[in-house]
Amino acid sequence: MSTVFGPGTIDLQWSSVYGKPGLGATLELRGTLTARGYPPGAAAILFLEFHADDLSNGSNARIGTAYPVPVVLGYALDSCYATTRPPPADESTAQLEALVQMDSAVLEGFEDCRQGKDFTLQVDTDLLLVNLGTRPAPTPPVHFEVHPQSHNQQRLKVSRADWGVVLQQWGRGVGIPIVVSLPEATVDPERASIARFLKEAWQKIDGGDYQGAFVAARKSVELLRKMSPATIQIPRDPKDRDVDQRLSRIVQSLYDLASAELHGDGATKDYVPTREDAVALVGASAALAQCVFARMKS
C-alpha cells in the first residue's frame, strides 16, 4: 500500500506471522517497507495495534499493541556493491519485525473465540516521521513535513495451519485452552470463589509453586463437590451410574488427588508434586468447573 508521507512515499506490506520463542507468547509480524524520495538520515517510528476478525463465534478480539518499530527511510548509498539493476538512489527497503506480547489470559480467550478456525489479522499502523534527514540545500521544510503522521490499515488472512505453526513455535501446539467464564462465575459467591481459586492455582504454576497450586486447586474442587449435579446415592457399579453421577465421581477423584500433597503419612507421605502434576490437576479442575457450571444452567 503506497502512501505519500512527508517529502516522499512509502510502500508498507505486512506478510506473515511468527511465534517468537522465549518466555511467554510473543507474536512477531514480519513485513517490508520500501521508501522513496527521502534524504539520508530520514527516519520514522511505527506504532502498531493488532485485532483479530472473522472469528468462529462472529466476534472480534483485540490482541495487543506492539513495541514501537524504528525504521530508517533514507540511506547514504555507496558503490561497494555492483548490481545489474540497482535501485534508484533515493529508494531503500527495510525488513520489519513487530513484536506484541500475548499473556496467557489473552491467548486462551483468543483461542476460545477462534475454535481452531482461520481468522483475519487486522494491523493498524501509525507512522510518525521523526527525522527529515540531511537535505542537499539548506532550504527549510514546509509545514506538513515537520512531523507528518500517516495511518495504514492492512488485513492479513491467517490460516489454521499457519496459526498452528505459531502455537508450536510457542510450545503450545498440543495445548487445549480452558476458560472458566468469570461473568458466569459471578452468579453466586461459590462460583466466583471457584474461579478465583483456579486463577490463583494457575498463577502458582507460572511462579513455580506447585504445592501452592495443589492447595488452591483443592479449595476449588472442595467447593465444586458441593455443586455436584448428582443428588442421590451413587451406585457402586459404574455401569449403573448416569452422567451426573459419573461426573461427581470424577470430581471426588480430583479432590483425592489434590489432597495427596497434604498428607504427611501413609502412601503419599513423600509425595512432592511436579509441574506436570499441577498442570494436570488444575487443568482438569477448570474443565470440570466449566462442565458443572454449564449443566447447572441447562
Side-chain angles (χ1 to χ4, degrees):
M1 180 177 182
S2 296
T3 305
V4 176
F5 184 45
T9 61
I10 61 167
D11 186 356
L12 176 61
Q13 187 69 32
W14 299 108
S15 57
S16 60
V17 291
Y18 177 78
K20 193 174 182 64
L23 295 176
T26 301
L27 179 63
E28 179 180 314
L29 180 67
R30 295 177 175 179
T32 303
L33 185 146
T34 301
R36 303 177 184 87
Y38 295 93
I45 296 180
L46 281 60
F47 304 92
L48 297 94
E49 186 162 332
F50 299 163
H51 290 82
D53 287 333
D54 303 328
L55 295 172
S56 179
N57 63 356
S59 66
N60 56 53
R62 181 180 181 275
I63 292 179
T65 301
Y67 300 106
V69 180
V71 59
V72 176
L73 303 177
Y75 291 89
L77 301 178
D78 53 38
S79 58
C80 60
Y81 296 103
T83 60
T84 56
R85 299 181 62 183
D90 64 347
E91 179 178 303
S92 64
T93 299
Q95 302 300 318
L96 303 181
E97 297 178 352
L99 304 177
V100 58
Q101 192 78 25
M102 295 181 68
D103 61 32
S104 297
V106 172
L107 180 57
E108 290 170 8
F110 170 68
E111 287 297 286
D112 188 52
C113 294
R114 187 177 70 90
Q115 292 293 310
K117 306 297 184 181
D118 302 345
F119 69 96
T120 300
L121 183 66
Q122 178 180 305
V123 185
D124 289 281
T125 308
D126 288 299
L127 301 92
L128 175 64
L129 187 63
V130 295
N131 194 324
L132 289 174
T134 304
R135 294 171 176 269
T139 56
V142 295
H143 176 71
F144 72 86
E145 292 180 352
V146 178
H147 288 296
Q149 290 180 274
S150 178
H151 180 77
N152 176 288
Q153 185 178 93
Q154 182 181 339
R155 294 173 62 84
L156 179 65
K157 194 71 176 180
V158 181
S159 69
R160 58 182 301 181
D162 291 338
W163 190 249
V165 172
V166 172
L167 292 175
Q168 290 177 354
Q169 290 163 340
W170 285 334
R172 296 171 180 257
V174 296
I176 302 175
I178 301 169
V179 178
V180 178
S181 176
L182 290 180
E184 291 183 9
T186 58
V187 172
D188 61 65
E190 287 193 342
R191 293 196 206 184
S193 296
I194 290 172
R196 185 177 71 254
F197 288 137
L198 288 172
K199 181 179 179 181
E200 178 184 343
W202 278 119
Q203 291 172 342
K204 295 289 186 183
I205 291 175
D206 289 339
D209 182 6
Y210 308 132
Q211 291 179 325
F214 260 60
V215 173
R218 183 180 184 274
K219 293 178 181 178
S220 70
V221 178
E222 188 172 12
L223 292 175
L224 197 61
R225 284 197 309 169
K226 301 177 183 179
M227 296 183 177
S228 171
T231 58
I232 61 175
Q233 185 175 1
I234 299 177
R236 180 180 297 273
D237 190 340
K239 293 185 296 184
D240 297 329
R241 300 170 188 165
D242 61 22
V243 173
D244 288 342
Q245 291 166 344
R246 295 177 188 221
L247 282 173
S248 295
R249 292 302 301 169
I250 296 174
V251 173
Q252 180 60 46
S253 296
L254 277 179
Y255 181 78
D256 293 340
L257 174 60
S259 303
E261 192 272 332
L262 301 178
H263 296 298
D265 56 2
T268 60
K269 64 178 181 179
D270 297 323
Y271 172 61
V272 178
T274 65
R275 185 181 190 278
E276 290 77 12
D277 296 335
V279 169
L281 173 63
V282 179
S285 300
L288 277 177
Q290 184 184 53
C291 181
V292 171
F293 290 176
R295 295 183 73 83
M296 292 174 66
K297 294 189 302 180
S298 60

